[in-house]
Amino acid sequence: MAINATCESTASPPVNGGASHSLTHGANGSLASALADTGVNELLGELDRDLIGLAPVKTRIREIAALLLVDRLRRERGFSAGGPSLHMCFTGNPGTGKTTVAMRMATILHRLGYIRKGHLVAVTRDDLVGQYIGHTAPKTKEVLKKAMGGVLFIDEAYYLYRPENERDYGQEAIEILLQVMENHRDDLVVILAGYKDRMARFFESNPGMSSRIAHHIDFPDYQADELALIAQRMLDAMHYRFDDEAKIVFDDYLTRRMAQPHFANARSVRNAIDRARLRHAYRLYSHPDAATSDESLTTIAAADLLASRVFADGDTR
Amino acid sequence: MRVTQGTFSFLPELTDEQIKRQIEYCLDKGWAVAIEYTDDPHPRNTFWEMYGAPMFDLRDAAGIIQELAACRKTFPQYYVRVTAFDSTHGVESITLAFIVNRPANEPGFRLVRQEEPGRTVRYTIESYAVAAKPEGARY
Ligand SMILES: Nc1ncnc2c1ncn2[C@@H]1O[C@H](COP(=O)(O)OP(=O)(O)OP(=O)(O)O)[C@@H](O)[C@H]1O
Ligand SMILES: [Mg+2]
């Protein structure tokens, strides 16, 4: 077998960059300079800027960042306490930013050297639990291997546990997870996510899981003004804008939409904007003779919003 | 006789740390790493048994190291190797392989010379262990 092709280049594999900056200060190195070294401040700043609201979430992330940083400084001076456990649970209503924050968390933990790679593997029950006997363990282990060095994000984690079916294979996946969360803390961080009440019930039936999770973070619903800001951000990113009238109409839209069922916070905002884009495009298309200026291509007018069902419903109720 | 083959056949045994660094290197290149074992280490035997499927889409060596530990535990007296598969179009083959486990006692190979007409000699390499015992009981 001729498989010697790469032996020369493999003799000294490159060290992975990113996670391994060392904090080389004297005994008086300041926390500020250590912080600057990791570049985590920019990351936290970005988080503050990009994500509207979420004050309790941001505070907790800052606390975790501080803990990891102080831990590193302590370790360098020989005060070891063992790595902290950083498994987390994100609870909150739909569209409150749980997935978005989990992604950021992976990057932040990587910058701080807590995880080696900084990728996020997002899974749900179907990715972990098999359909037949003996199917679940290999499936779960496969996912765990992929997540090593990064973050395993389990969305709607309570579906893993189905008390109504005592033969459910979900329990098997939970047991493997429990073991890995305890024994492979250095290898991966597990973040569970879901709605608060169902998550609470899940933990009641799986106390082992609850006790392995150091950080239970609750994502509050957004206020109307926060949602308006989020809409502004989304429009900016897509090179659209509301005209003055549309801004006022959109505030009204939010108030009405928030009172309706199935309101999904920032995701509803995104959907509303997507539908407004549709109507905006169709409005332009219906008047092919009108001049298409940059202005008209980028401006969403009040009419594009007022056509929404949300306003129609408001009238009939 | 210490059987050598693969990418680092000219080197002494790699330590676990070195194995891990090599696997990291493979993953950084985007290669899929697999673990294989056999008790028939003849140089012409390209068909080693696969220990699980090749591990695609891994980012970190920890998962592979874990599999390797399990394989060594299950087959302590077998040859075990790590292979890396490069799926790049036009390459699509194993680009690196090295032995990471071997039996405690390796009886080695015998060279068999077969006389042919006209003083031609045919050579065969025959493993003492493989010739002596059936599969699964060789080392
Ligand atoms: N604070 C925020 N600022 C800006 N955009 C946000 C914010 N929170 C969420 N979004 C946007 O809202 C959308 C939905 O967010 P995300 O998918 O993170 O919600 P989720 O909590 O995971 O929802 P679900 O529970 O339904 O999975 C995304 O497009 C995201 O970019
Ligand atoms: Mg989500």
Side-chain angles (χ1 to χ4, degrees):
Chain A
M1 251 188 330
I3 40 180
N4 286 326
T6 48
C7 51
E8 209 168 5
S9 51
T10 46
S12 58
V15 195
N16 170 43
S20 48
H21 318 277
S22 120
L23 305 172
T24 43
H25 326 272
N28 300 316
S30 73
L31 213 58
S33 65
L35 204 58
D37 271 4
T38 58
V40 89
N41 249 355
E42 289 87 86
L43 226 59
L44 291 175
E46 238 171 70
L47 187 85
D48 257 347
R49 253 175 292 122
D50 295 355
L51 296 182
I52 311 289
L54 295 178
V57 177
K58 288 173 179 170
T59 308
R60 183 61 74 93
I61 293 179
R62 279 185 185 281
E63 285 167 357
I64 291 173
L67 170 67
L68 290 178
L69 197 72
V70 170
D71 241 33
R72 264 172 86 166
L73 291 175
R74 282 167 45 99
R75 216 171 28 246
E76 280 175 14
R77 312 229 182 131
F79 309 126
S80 169
S85 165
L86 282 192
H87 302 309
M88 303 178 208
C89 176
F90 292 174
T91 50
N93 287 327
T96 43
K98 300 182 293 291
T99 307
T100 313
V101 170
M103 298 273 205
R104 301 265 176 152
M105 192 61 102
T107 321
I108 291 173
L109 294 181
H110 175 53
R111 277 298 164 81
L112 287 163
Y114 187 79
I115 50 179
R116 292 186 295 269
K117 293 291 149 68
H119 60 297
L120 179 112
V121 175
V123 299
T124 55
R125 177 189 159 98
D126 285 352
D127 302 293
L128 297 170
V129 181
Q131 284 181 293
Y132 320 103
I133 280 200
H135 197 190
T136 300
K139 238 179 141 170
T140 303
K141 284 180 182 159
E142 174 97 13
V143 166
L144 286 167
K145 272 187 275 177
K146 284 183 188 162
M148 283 193 173
V151 169
L152 176 64
F153 181 74
I154 308 178
D155 220 351
E156 309 209 64
Y158 29 76
Y159 284 129
L160 286 177
Y161 179 70
R162 295 226 164 118
E164 67 278 10
N165 178 358
E166 63 179 273
R167 297 248 176 82
D168 187 60
Y169 301 130
Q171 195 61 42
E172 200 179 337
I174 292 177
E175 264 145 41
I176 297 171
L177 278 171
L178 290 179
Q179 219 177 355
V180 169
M181 286 166 79
E182 192 66 33
N183 303 336
H184 289 268
R185 270 203 233 154
D186 303 345
D187 287 330
L188 85 167
V189 169
V190 175
I191 300 183
L192 307 182
Y195 308 132
K196 196 170 184 182
D197 47 336
R198 305 183 70 170
M199 219 57 215
R201 248 176 289 142
F202 173 71
F203 286 134
E204 260 165 46
S205 337
N206 296 277
M209 188 62 95
S210 181
S211 64
R212 277 171 180 75
I213 290 176
H215 302 276
H216 291 264
I217 306 181
D218 197 39
F219 286 58
D221 282 340
Y222 294 113
Q223 304 298 315
D225 55 334
E226 289 170 338
L227 291 170
L229 272 175
I230 289 173
Q232 198 56 56
R233 284 294 160 79
M234 289 177 178
L235 288 173
D236 286 347
M238 295 189 281
H239 300 104
Y240 278 98
R241 58 184 213 73
F242 286 151
D243 66 17
D244 291 339
E245 200 187 341
K247 263 186 208 138
I248 297 164
V249 170
F250 192 71
D251 287 343
D252 187 19
Y253 172 92
L254 283 175
T255 320
R256 286 165 187 253
R257 183 68 189 86
M258 284 168 78
Q260 287 182 350
H262 307 299
F263 175 64
N265 288 286
R267 181 165 308 110
S268 290
V269 171
R270 178 171 296 276
N271 292 343
I273 290 175
D274 282 345
R275 280 192 300 270
R277 284 173 65 187
L278 211 65
R279 292 188 207 103
H280 163 258
Y282 194 68
R283 176 165 55 82
L284 297 186
Y285 168 89
S286 313
H287 300 94
D289 299 329
T292 45
S293 60
D294 285 359
E295 169 87 9
S296 68
L297 283 174
T298 55
T299 307
I300 290 176
D304 303 329
L305 296 168
L306 283 168
S308 163
R309 205 163 25 114
V310 170
F311 289 103
D313 286 351
D315 289 343
T316 52
R317 267 180 213 164
Chain B
M1 191 199 94
R2 179 173 170 269
V3 173
T4 61
Q5 51 174 281
T7 312
F8 307 119
S9 54
F10 55 95
L11 291 178
E13 292 319 314
L14 299 189
T15 64
D16 283 357
E17 181 57 29
Q18 288 167 331
I19 292 170
K20 194 175 119 207
R21 301 269 314 269
Q22 293 302 338
I23 292 173
E24 289 285 347
Y25 176 82
C26 296
L27 295 179
D28 287 349
K29 290 272 183 188
W31 300 337
V33 176
I35 295 170
E36 298 177 341
Y37 63 94
T38 190
D39 63 353
D40 179 7
H42 191 284
R44 294 288 195 153
N45 175 22
T46 48
F47 301 108
W48 293 34
E49 305 290 335
M50 298 200 342
Y51 188 81
M55 288 167 268
F56 294 101
D57 305 326
L58 259 59
R59 292 283 301 275
D60 190 80
I64 298 165
I65 295 294
Q66 192 183 311
E67 286 295 297
L68 177 56
C71 182
R72 280 170 165 167
K73 203 169 153 205
T74 318
F75 300 108
Q77 294 300 322
Y78 278 61
Y79 291 89
V80 176
R81 73 183 173 193
V82 166
T83 68
F85 179 82
D86 181 353
S87 62
T88 311
H89 181 66
V91 181
E92 291 148 328
S93 55
I94 301 289
T95 50
L96 178 148
F98 54 97
I99 293 180
V100 291
N101 193 67
R102 62 177 68 247
N105 180 26
E106 301 176 89
F109 294 82
R110 174 169 87 107
L111 188 67
V112 181
R113 297 178 185 80
Q114 186 184 356
E115 294 282 357
E116 297 279 313
R119 294 194 60 76
T120 302
V121 178
R122 289 187 179 278
Y123 296 101
T124 300
I125 297 173
E126 203 173 69
S127 158
Y128 290 114
V130 170
K133 298 262 180 60
E135 207 179 322
R138 286 170 182 157
Y139 289 96

